[in-house]
Amino acid sequence: MVTSPAKPTLDVSEGKTKALKENILTPRFYTTDFETAAKLDLSAQDSEFQAMLAEMRADYNRHHFVRDETFDRSWDNLTGEARQAFIDYLERSCVSEFSGFLLFKELSRKLKDRNPVLSEMFQLMARDEARHAGFLNKAMGDFGSTMDLAYLTKNRVYTFFPIEWVIYTVYLSEKIGYWRYIIIYRHLEKHPENQFYPLFRYFESWCQDENRHGDIFKVLLRSQPSLWKTWQSRLWSRFFLLTVFATHTLTVHERTGFYNVLGIDATEFDREVIRKTNETAARAFPSVLDTEHPEFYDRLHRCSDLNLQMSEIDRSSQPKWLKKLRKLPLQLSIVGHLVRIYLTKGIDAEALKGTVR
């Protein structure tokens, strides 16, 4: 095992701690079947795994997450809806990264004696996620609040996912994270006047961490034939793609104020991230979604509109029972649209292997 790096500081300023607002889009904390994880046979992808392990040990971003003097100023010029949307963006991003840190850290600890090489890989990924979470938490501090990550660790409800589901979902979360970061970074390269906060300058190297983590989970996925050679794996692949894409669409359209400040059209950004992630997933998954189907984005956007209607209901002063009653038909409509997307014929990604770039 490599020497454990120093734990990153996750500051929580007294009196400024931000409570986590819970809704269907709030990032979850996960646990898994560690016994099954310890028994994963990686021999089919051993050379690829060893190459990724060497890359992680090199730790190319070890000096990247250091705040410079450009952060040393007031950010009171960002106000109103845009400010709140950015804080929400930082909050969800921070919790998502911290969730990954906790899962990887626990996997590393539980696998240490059973599968030391895989344990080391999870330790190195936990290192990266902790850096990301700490950096984002300090950014929140610039806007008057931080997440109490120690409190979240002890008090969040942990959702159990089988290790197979973890492999699918983490692969997708890392790859979609890569495309989100790099698309924003490239946009701001062309439009520096919209770079209102120095965090965005870190996105190019940051997204490489996301990309590496995704590649690691691709190796894990392709090392397990049951995750890509069976008819069940085709169904699961499209299911997890749909859940990740639906969550992305709903979240992006809740933050239109944030994207407006960046000079980005939220709908076009959502489309590009989904399209790129779907293309990337075809390198790992046996089946992907047909994002070119004429109903695909239309139905996702209807889900987004329905979600915004539910948010308006939540903000009303009506009794909780009435809010739930009013939201029920909207929730059923969202489910209906997602089912229709899922039942649309997928794309056989295995047939595309060798042609996907």
Side-chain angles (χ1 to χ4, degrees), residues 234-254:
R234 293 176 176 273
L235 297 178
W236 281 120
S237 294
R238 297 202 337 265
F239 171 79
F240 286 117
L241 279 164
L242 180 58
T243 57
V244 168
F245 291 165
T247 300
H248 187 262
T249 296
L250 270 56
T251 303
V252 165
H253 287 91
E254 280 190 346

Side-chain angles (χ1 to χ4, degrees), residues 169-215:
T169 56
V170 174
Y171 169 79
L172 284 175
S173 68
E174 299 289 353
K175 287 300 185 180
I176 200 170
Y178 166 80
W179 284 112
R180 279 197 299 257
Y181 286 130
I182 198 62
I183 290 171
I184 290 175
Y185 180 82
R186 288 170 178 168
H187 167 78
L188 292 177
E189 270 192 319
K190 297 176 181 177
H191 302 280
E193 70 277 7
N194 293 324
Q195 188 161 269
F196 64 85
Y197 184 64
L199 175 72
F200 304 112
R201 293 190 291 104
Y202 292 74
F203 275 13
E204 183 180 31
S205 295
W206 190 323
C207 75
Q208 297 307 324
D209 283 344
E210 306 288 323
N211 203 33
R212 271 189 288 272
H213 294 183
D215 287 344

Side-chain angles (χ1 to χ4, degrees), residues 116-349:
V117 177
L118 188 55
S119 172
E120 180 184 355
M121 183 68 91
F122 282 121
Q123 176 200 356
L124 296 172
M125 286 193 288
R127 171 202 68 197
D128 293 347
E129 299 291 303
R131 286 174 181 163
H132 300 170
F135 203 73
L136 287 163
N137 208 27
K138 288 180 179 178
M140 288 184 65
D142 290 340
F143 293 85
S145 62
T146 54
M147 298 299 301
D148 189 340
L149 300 178
Y151 176 85
L152 286 179
T153 303
K154 297 177 181 178
N155 294 278
R156 286 284 285 167
V157 174
Y158 286 72
T159 301
F160 177 83
F161 262 25
I163 190 63
E164 296 84 1
W165 293 10
V166 169
I167 292 173
Y168 282 125
T169 56
V170 174
Y171 169 79
L172 284 175
S173 68
E174 299 289 353
K175 287 300 185 180
I176 200 170
Y178 166 80
W179 284 112
R180 279 197 299 257
Y181 286 130
I182 198 62
I183 290 171
I184 290 175
Y185 180 82
R186 288 170 178 168
H187 167 78
L188 292 177
E189 270 192 319
K190 297 176 181 177
H191 302 280
E193 70 277 7
N194 293 324
Q195 188 161 269
F196 64 85
Y197 184 64
L199 175 72
F200 304 112
R201 293 190 291 104
Y202 292 74
F203 275 13
E204 183 180 31
S205 295
W206 190 323
C207 75
Q208 297 307 324
D209 283 344
E210 306 288 323
N211 203 33
R212 271 189 288 272
H213 294 183
D215 287 344
I216 290 164
F217 274 86
K218 175 188 174 185
V219 168
L220 295 179
L221 191 152
R222 299 302 292 189
S223 72
Q224 310 302 307
S226 64
L227 298 184
W228 61 274
K229 272 192 171 182
T230 65
W231 64 266
Q232 295 96 326
S233 66
R234 293 176 176 273
L235 297 178
W236 281 120
S237 294
R238 297 202 337 265
F239 171 79
F240 286 117
L241 279 164
L242 180 58
T243 57
V244 168
F245 291 165
T247 300
H248 187 262
T249 296
L250 270 56
T251 303
V252 165
H253 287 91
E254 280 190 346
R255 298 175 183 157
T256 54
F258 164 61
Y259 292 102
N260 287 340
V261 175
L262 291 176
I264 293 175
D265 181 274
T267 298
E268 290 305 313
F269 174 76
D270 178 50
R271 284 175 178 264
E272 186 173 6
V273 169
I274 288 175
R275 180 174 59 82
K276 291 291 190 181
T277 305
N278 198 59
E279 290 175 357
T280 302
R283 304 172 189 174
F285 285 5
S287 180
V288 295
L289 297 171
D290 182 4
T291 59
E292 300 304 316
H293 191 281
E295 293 186 7
F296 181 81
Y297 288 111
D298 179 62
R299 290 193 180 277
L300 279 183
H301 294 157
R302 290 188 197 180
C303 291
S304 174
D305 292 341
L306 292 164
N307 179 61
L308 293 175
Q309 291 178 42
M310 289 194 294
S311 296
E312 290 181 8
I313 292 172
D314 282 331
R315 288 192 294 268
S316 73
S317 58
Q318 295 175 329
K320 288 185 177 180
W321 66 267
L322 183 55
K323 291 181 182 180
K324 289 182 178 179
L325 188 63
R326 290 182 62 199
K327 289 193 298 183
L328 182 59
L330 303 179
Q331 292 167 338
L332 292 175
S333 293
I334 290 176
V335 172
H337 286 303
L338 295 180
V339 169
R340 289 291 296 274
I341 294 174
Y342 184 72
L343 293 178
T344 302
K345 184 179 178 181
I347 295 174
D348 184 353

